[in-house]
């Protein structure tokens, strides 16, 4: 479990699943993903994320608001395999998905900053990457607020069919020195 001023990043609980399913069925939340998810697909994903945290002790953690205990989505870390077809792989990815009613409150940035600290200071990685569809400007803004830099290594996502509107992706990166410099400058 990780904590920030306002949030708790923790293992998934069964009570999170119905909220997660509602979030993954929302076309606005899933705008930059290939499709919304059914309740069964959301449950499968939540079970997989829960199992990866059990296995590694970290992953895409469920995020709740400290003051209320409300589940708001997930933020965390994932390994990208060297055979993934994504530039610079293998690497550790940071990612997030937050329910629409919690957007524009700084939660994704706050939780992702804590997850990056975990990656650098607990896992000891040299750098962390994030990628998203080129059209997903909100996520790119979160990446920039975190101090991440666009690598300019745009790529076609290997799991999307050629010509898919979300096929083209951008890749952002941050290293520990940049994180510390960004914090010193008050960027986060």
């Amino acid at each position: 479990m990780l904590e920030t001023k306002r949030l708790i990043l923790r293992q998934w609980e069964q009570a999170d699943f119905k909220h997660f399913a509602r979030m993954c069925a929302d076309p606005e939340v899933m705008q930059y993903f290939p499709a919304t998810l059914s309740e069964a697909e959301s449950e499968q994903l939540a079970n997989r994320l829960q199992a990866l945290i059990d296995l590694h002790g970290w992953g895409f953690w469920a995020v709740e608001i400290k003051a209320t205990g409300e589940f708001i989505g997930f933020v965390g870390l994932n390994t990208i395999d060297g055979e993934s077809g994504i530039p610079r792989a293998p690497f550790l990815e940071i990612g997030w998905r937050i329910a629409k009613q919690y957007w524009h409150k700084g939660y994704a940035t706050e939780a992702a900053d804590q997850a990056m600290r975990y990656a650098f200071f607990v896992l000891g990685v040299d750098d962390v990457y994030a990628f998203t569809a080129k059209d997903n400007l909100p996520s790119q803004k979160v990446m920039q607020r975190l101090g991440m830099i666009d690598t300019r290594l745009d790529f076609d996502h290997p799991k999307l069919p050629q010509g898919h509107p979300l096929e083209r992706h951008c890749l952002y990166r941050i290293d520990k020195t940049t994180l510390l410099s960004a914090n010193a400058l008050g960027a986060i």
Side-chain angles (χ1 to χ4, degrees), residues 93-148:
E93 166 201 17
I94 189 161
W96 47 84
R97 188 178 306 168
I98 303 292
K100 181 173 50 187
Q101 64 268 37
Y102 302 104
W103 291 357
H104 309 295
K105 299 178 188 310
Y107 292 143
T109 305
E110 182 176 329
D113 178 61
Q114 189 66 14
M116 280 195 319
R117 291 173 181 289
Y118 185 89
F120 290 126
F121 300 112
V122 176
L123 300 179
V125 299
D126 293 327
D127 40 31
V128 173
Y129 289 84
F131 56 90
T132 191
K134 287 287 290 181
D135 292 343
N136 188 350
L137 299 179
S139 276
Q140 290 179 55
K141 286 180 182 170
V142 172
M143 294 171 193
Q144 292 161 7
R145 280 194 296 273
L146 290 167
M148 300 185 90

Side-chain angles (χ1 to χ4, degrees), residues 5-43:
K5 183 177 179 182
R6 302 179 295 167
L7 304 170
I8 296 173
L9 288 72
R10 58 164 173 75
Q11 177 57 289
W12 291 74
E13 299 169 357
Q14 194 65 40
D16 301 329
F17 287 27
K18 67 178 183 256
H19 302 294
F20 185 59
R22 193 168 31 254
M23 183 178 94
C24 292
D26 183 331
E28 276 189 85
V29 172
M30 301 300 286
Q31 178 180 356
Y32 299 107
F33 293 91
T36 57
L37 301 180
S38 69
E39 190 170 337
E41 290 168 328
S42 292
E43 186 170 334

Side-chain angles (χ1 to χ4, degrees), residues 32-35 45 48-49 52 60 78-87 89 91 93 97 131-133 155-169:
Y32 299 107
F33 293 91
L45 177 56
R48 190 168 69 240
L49 299 177
L52 286 169
F60 284 134
N78 181 47
T79 55
I80 299 297
D81 175 303
E83 304 301 312
S84 67
I86 297 173
F91 58 74
E93 166 201 17
R97 188 178 306 168
F131 56 90
T132 191
F155 64 98
D156 293 336
H157 198 291
K159 291 186 178 176
L160 292 174
Q162 187 173 3
H164 189 284
L166 298 175
E167 179 184 25
R168 200 74 182 145
H169 274 57

Side-chain angles (χ1 to χ4, degrees), residues 51-69:
L52 286 169
I53 293 171
D54 281 343
L55 179 67
H56 300 297
W58 54 270
F60 284 134
W61 292 284
V63 179
E64 73 176 51
I65 297 174
K66 254 188 209 182
T68 63

